[in-house]
Amino acid sequence: MGFNQSTIARFLNVDQSLISKVAKGERSLSVDMLEKLSCLFGVSINAIESSTIEESTLSVAFRASDLSLEELEAISAINRIALNSEYMAEILKG
């Protein structure tokens, strides 16, 4: 989605050095952080932990390259709704 480490760190309320260490495989994220990221990116936690992530069918266009924390939270909330909707549809099929 084009987010840099600084933006992700701000969204997770952590230091950017933690995100850098996670990217290098030197540190791990908590389950809470993984859940927040899964909502931000609109994918499952399992997808975040995998080496490849399927592209989402949901396309979003941003007007700014540096989004505010409030805008990131709004994106996360919208994606959470979309993920829950997909999950509910799967349950109803089965």
Side-chain angles (χ1 to χ4, degrees), residues 58-69:
L58 182 60
S59 176
V60 180
F62 300 116
R63 295 185 314 238
S65 60
D66 189 30
L67 299 170
S68 70
L69 183 56

Side-chain angles (χ1 to χ4, degrees), residues 16-85:
Q16 183 180 345
S17 65
L18 173 65
I19 303 304
S20 178
K21 288 178 182 178
V22 169
K24 293 176 187 174
E26 298 172 0
R27 294 283 307 267
S28 298
L29 294 174
S30 70
V31 173
D32 290 339
M33 288 183 213
L34 285 172
E35 184 177 344
K36 281 188 81 170
L37 285 179
S38 75
C39 290
L40 180 62
F41 292 115
V43 298
S44 69
I45 291 176
N46 291 338
I48 287 179
E49 292 178 327
S50 75
S51 58
T52 58
I53 297 177
E54 287 185 37
E55 237 182 88
S56 173
T57 56
L58 182 60
S59 176
V60 180
F62 300 116
R63 295 185 314 238
S65 60
D66 189 30
L67 299 170
S68 70
L69 183 56
E70 291 80 17
E71 291 166 325
L72 292 170
E73 293 287 349
I75 292 167
S76 177
I78 291 166
N79 283 341
R80 183 183 300 268
I81 292 167
L83 287 169
N84 287 339
S85 177

